Every structure is written in structure tokens, then in C-alpha cells.
Amino acid sequence: MAVSGRARALYQRIADKIRDEIMDGALGPGARLPTEAEIAAEWNTTRSTAVQGLKVLVNEGLIVSDRPRGYFVRSRRPMVYRPQGEFRKRPLSPEMDQFLTQMAQEGRQASQRIEVKVETPSKHVRERLQLGEDELVVVRRRIRLVDGVPYNTNDSHFPLALVQNSEIMRPDDIARGANVVLAELGFEQVRALDEIHVRMPTPDEADRLQLGPGTPVAVHLCTGFTQDGRPVRTVVNVLPGDRHVITYERSRQQLGSDPTIRQATEEDLRTVVELWEHAASWLRERGIDQWQYAPHEDRIKANISAGECWIVEVDQAPVATITVDEHADSDFWNEDEAAEPALYVHRMVVRRDIAGLEIGSAMLDWASQRAAEQGKTWLRLDAWRSNGDLQAYYSSRGFTHVRTVEAEGRNSGALFQRPAGQERGIGPKLTPSS
């Protein structure tokens, strides 16, 4: 039986009615709303209640106040923002870049303001570019205007050591694009990691973009990687919600070559640690508490020495790691279970810029086959108790949830297993590295 909620206040119902009229087109862009007095009379209430209802819509960014003329539906002509356009060929005209060309094709007046600075990167930029504490970045800050209105900001960050004395250092438009300049310097980007966050703007963002109250922004962070997996550019785009439609074209990604797997060596310690830190940073940004501590390098060294740690490579670049051993953690698995022949999966990480290509599934199939070859009955793992998405992932890959154990001082403990030798065949086949 449905339980009715508390009745909405009158000012909220006033806002609801006008909002519905805007959303269904009865009140179009630029339309003038009834006056405060007219709304008060219609609803048999006070003028202050009418004003309170109108302020709700102002704060939502649906209407604007233009005293003494009154309130008007905000006019919107959104720009189509295409993140996937970054790697398309540049326009031939030397005086027009990609953004200016797009706006010209849509019959709109476009311009931009550019400034360049050398500065200490923010924590988020440093992590994405994998920079040391003392390393600096070059930032090309751009405000893009359409029909005289600031539409978005585009701040590109480059490691200073890579671009010093190049065109990127000059506050001028680069008609052929900064990506081409990077390629000419020997740092061609072949893939990118896109992240989109939606929030209210900071005071600085609101000032740069001349935002009215109640206007949210989408923040598009794009990090570009070279063929060997080195991050060389991080762009922070701030897109006001009332001025943009974000359009993605998607197609199934393909690996450049078949992935290979090999035992890690002592020289791979830093690679395994960096893969761990990369995953921990990604989890932290999404509010997931998993792996929010320094990696246990002594354990990783021990696993490498024992031949239990493995590296997956694509085009000779490390993209993932997995550790498999015969150790049944006594905090989780009881004596009877520990006596059963099984391999245990630990520290499985896939680099985020190839997420979606099912490398994780391929590693689990490989580990399952390895368990069968060693005469084991089970392939087992323990997952983070609070990470429901991860547990659902293992369930979808043929693992059965055994139980969840809450051990003191341990955040893992969701126990899973699947029969040795069972392969799902979802991801690519891992072949031994020659």
C-alpha cells in the first residue's frame, strides 16, 4: 500500500506549476511570467509566498529576474559538446581551431581568450599525470565564448618537462592543435580516459563563466596517454548545464594486439605498485573506501619472488596485474575449506584507460585454467565487503558467493569461488609472453 507523503508547501506548488509549463513548452524561452501580484491573486496567497516560489525556479536556473520588467523563462541555445572529437583531424584553415570551426558551421559567432601559466599542479592533476611533488605543469587556460557569452572553460595541463620551449608555452591559438604538437615532440596520444562530474560551480568558475544562481556545471576531465601508457595531458573542461548538450559516439573498443601474460620480475615491482595506486585513486574519487592505504610492497616482493605475481601486456605495455597462490587466508576460510585444493586470486588490477575490454575476465579465465592444470578444485577470492559493484562483477563472471566474514581489522571478507577449469570466454584469450 502506498503511503502518501507530507503535503508540499504552497510556494513549492506554485514553483511546480510554472516548472511544468516550462518543461512542456507552454512557456517557451524568453516568455514573460505573470507578475508576483498576479501569481499571489491566482493562488489566493501573499506576494511574499509568490516570490518564494519564483526564487525556487531562479535557483534551479529555469527563470531569470530582470527587474523592473519581471521574470522571464531563461533562453537556452545549447552548444553540442562532443568529447570524442578530440582525436579527429584538425581543420585546414590555419586561423580557426576545432571549436571555432564547429561554431562557424552552426552559424554562431565564436571567440576565445587564452592565457598560459607555469604552476604547481593540483592534487587531482598531479595524480592523473603521475607527477612528483616538485614537478610543475604548463596550463593553457581558455574561456570560450559563443555569441559574446562565456560558454565553457578549457584548461589543458602538460608536464613542464615535456613541453618547455614549445608552441604550447605561448598564449596563442595552435591551429593544428596541441595534440599534434605533443606528437611532434614524440608524445603522441593514442587513447584517453574521460571522466565527467556534475556539481555546482566554484566561485572562480561562476566568475569566469558569468553564471547566474542555480546553474550546475558538468566537469569533463580528459587524460591522454601515449602508446606506452604515459599520461601527457590532462584537460579540465567546465561546461555550464544550461549551455551544453554532451553527445558521445560509442563503438566497441579493440585491442591493438592480443594481450599476453608473463611472470613479474623484480624490475616489475614499481609497475605493480603504480597499477595498485592508480586503481586506489580511481576508487577514492568515487567515494569507495577500498585500498585506501599504501600498497604492501614487502608482500608484493614476496609474491614476485615466489612466481605468484603476473603482468598482462598489450603492445608490450603493462595494463594489468594478478597474483595467484595457494594461500587460504585463515581470517576468512575455515580449516575444512583450506584443506581443499584451490588457487586464490589477490591484487587483481586493470588499468582504467582500457576498462571495458574485459581484461579482468580474461585474467580470471586464465587463473581458472591454471588452477585446473595444477589439479585444484576451486578458484577462490575475497572481495571488499562494502564494494557491491565488485561483488556483482564476480557473480556475473561465474563465481558463487560462499559467505561474508567480518574479521577484525579487515575490510575484505566477501568470499567467492568457482570451479577450477571453468572459463566464461567473455574477454580476450591471454597468451604466454614469448
Side-chain angles (χ1 to χ4, degrees):
M1 180 177 69
V3 180
S4 59
R6 184 178 179 181
R8 290 173 67 76
L10 181 57
Y11 79 90
Q12 292 173 319
R13 286 185 278 138
I14 291 172
D16 292 343
K17 179 176 181 292
I18 298 174
R19 185 189 302 108
D20 288 343
E21 292 173 347
I22 293 172
M23 292 303 180
D24 67 16
L27 288 171
R32 184 179 180 278
L33 270 62
T35 65
E36 296 163 357
E38 289 170 339
I39 293 172
E42 177 187 353
W43 290 83
N44 192 27
T45 187
T46 64
R47 185 166 177 169
S48 62
T49 299
V51 170
Q52 195 175 6
L54 291 166
K55 283 184 177 179
V56 170
L57 300 175
V58 170
N59 289 335
E60 291 178 3
L62 292 176
I63 66 174
V64 294
S65 174
D66 185 11
R67 292 186 179 277
R69 297 175 59 228
Y71 293 88
F72 297 81
V73 177
R74 175 175 279 180
S75 296
R76 303 168 185 266
R77 188 183 175 191
M79 167 185 165
V80 177
Y81 179 79
R82 300 179 177 89
Q84 71 275 4
E86 179 180 6
F87 291 144
R88 290 178 178 169
K89 296 297 184 184
R90 311 299 293 186
L92 295 177
S93 172
E95 65 273 2
M96 298 182 72
D97 81 346
Q98 188 178 36
F99 162 69
L100 301 179
T101 300
Q102 177 187 338
M103 292 299 98
Q105 290 171 344
E106 296 178 10
R108 308 181 74 173
Q109 293 282 335
S111 60
Q112 56 188 345
R113 304 173 193 149
I114 303 174
E115 65 174 356
V116 177
K117 290 184 177 180
V118 176
E119 63 185 36
T120 301
S122 68
K123 179 175 180 289
H124 295 301
V125 170
R126 181 185 300 113
E127 288 178 349
R128 285 167 177 80
L129 290 176
Q130 298 176 16
L131 298 175
E133 291 290 335
D134 299 327
E135 292 186 82
L136 301 176
V137 293
V138 174
V139 188
R140 291 178 59 84
R141 300 190 188 280
R142 290 193 285 185
I143 299 178
R144 291 167 162 171
L145 298 94
V146 179
D147 301 328
V149 177
Y151 252 60
N152 59 55
T153 60
N154 171 274
D155 298 343
S156 298
H157 303 74
F158 307 85
L160 176 60
L162 300 190
V163 301
Q164 198 160 21
N165 301 320
S166 74
E167 291 173 71
I168 288 172
M169 300 288 294
R170 297 199 293 268
D172 303 311
D173 178 48
I174 304 173
R176 68 189 191 283
N179 286 345
V180 176
V181 175
L182 274 176
E184 293 169 351
L185 294 171
F187 304 105
E188 181 182 11
Q189 298 166 87
V190 298
R191 55 183 178 270
L193 174 63
D194 293 298
E195 307 166 66
I196 294 179
H197 309 260
V198 179
R199 57 171 171 76
M200 298 307 293
T202 66
D204 177 66
E205 291 165 349
D207 181 61
R208 290 178 75 189
L209 291 165
Q210 300 176 20
L211 300 180
T215 305
V217 295
V219 181
H220 172 216
L221 293 99
C222 176
T223 302
F225 296 83
T226 60
Q227 186 67 54
D228 63 359
R230 181 177 185 177
V232 293
R233 179 180 185 235
T234 291
V235 185
V236 181
N237 300 285
V238 180
L239 316 170
D242 63 336
R243 303 171 198 175
H244 293 83
V245 173
I246 300 175
T247 302
Y248 267 99
E249 298 172 2
R250 297 190 296 163
S251 59
R252 186 174 180 84
Q253 290 177 287
Q254 300 295 324
L255 294 170
S257 63
D258 293 333
T260 60
I261 189 165
R262 62 173 176 81
Q263 279 187 332
T265 67
E266 292 181 4
E267 289 74 22
D268 292 311
L269 174 62
R270 178 44 44 189
T271 295
V272 177
V273 169
E274 288 178 351
L275 285 167
W276 168 287
E277 292 173 340
H278 174 69
S281 175
W282 184 84
L283 291 164
R284 180 171 61 252
E285 289 167 5
R286 282 147 187 80
I288 301 172
D289 64 357
Q290 183 172 341
W291 292 354
Q292 299 309 303
Y293 51 84
H296 301 294
E297 293 195 24
D298 55 337
R299 297 182 188 174
I300 297 173
K301 286 181 181 178
N303 290 135
I304 290 175
S305 296
E308 298 162 343
C309 183
W310 297 77
I311 300 287
V312 175
E313 295 179 325
V314 174
D315 295 327
Q316 299 182 326
V319 297
T321 182
I322 186 172
T323 295
V324 289
D325 62 23
E326 298 179 346
H327 174 62
D329 193 319
S330 59
D331 282 347
F332 301 141
W333 304 95
N334 62 41
E335 290 185 6
D336 290 339
E337 291 165 337
E340 296 174 339
L343 279 188
Y344 296 82
V345 173
H346 311 278
R347 210 180 298 113
M348 189 175 85
V349 181
V350 178
R351 214 167 63 187
R352 296 310 306 171
D353 55 307
I354 63 163
L357 297 183
E358 297 294 351
I359 295 295
S361 297
M363 287 193 291
L364 292 172
D365 279 357
W366 170 86
S368 182
Q369 189 59 41
R370 185 172 178 80
E373 290 170 357
Q374 296 181 9
K376 310 299 185 185
T377 303
W378 300 107
L379 180 67
R380 289 172 171 165
L381 57 87
D382 57 89
W384 213 255
R385 295 197 306 272
S386 59
N387 194 337
D389 288 343
L390 181 61
Q391 295 178 39
Y393 170 81
Y394 287 128
S395 294
S396 70
R397 296 309 183 267
F399 283 83
T400 300
H401 179 232
V402 179
R403 66 181 175 279
T404 296
V405 178
E406 295 193 13
E408 185 176 355
R410 305 288 299 274
N411 289 313
S412 194
L415 308 185
F416 289 83
Q417 66 183 16
R418 85 182 194 192
Q422 183 186 93
E423 296 186 50
R424 303 289 285 180
I426 298 175
K429 188 80 172 178
L430 300 184
T431 59
S433 179
S434 54

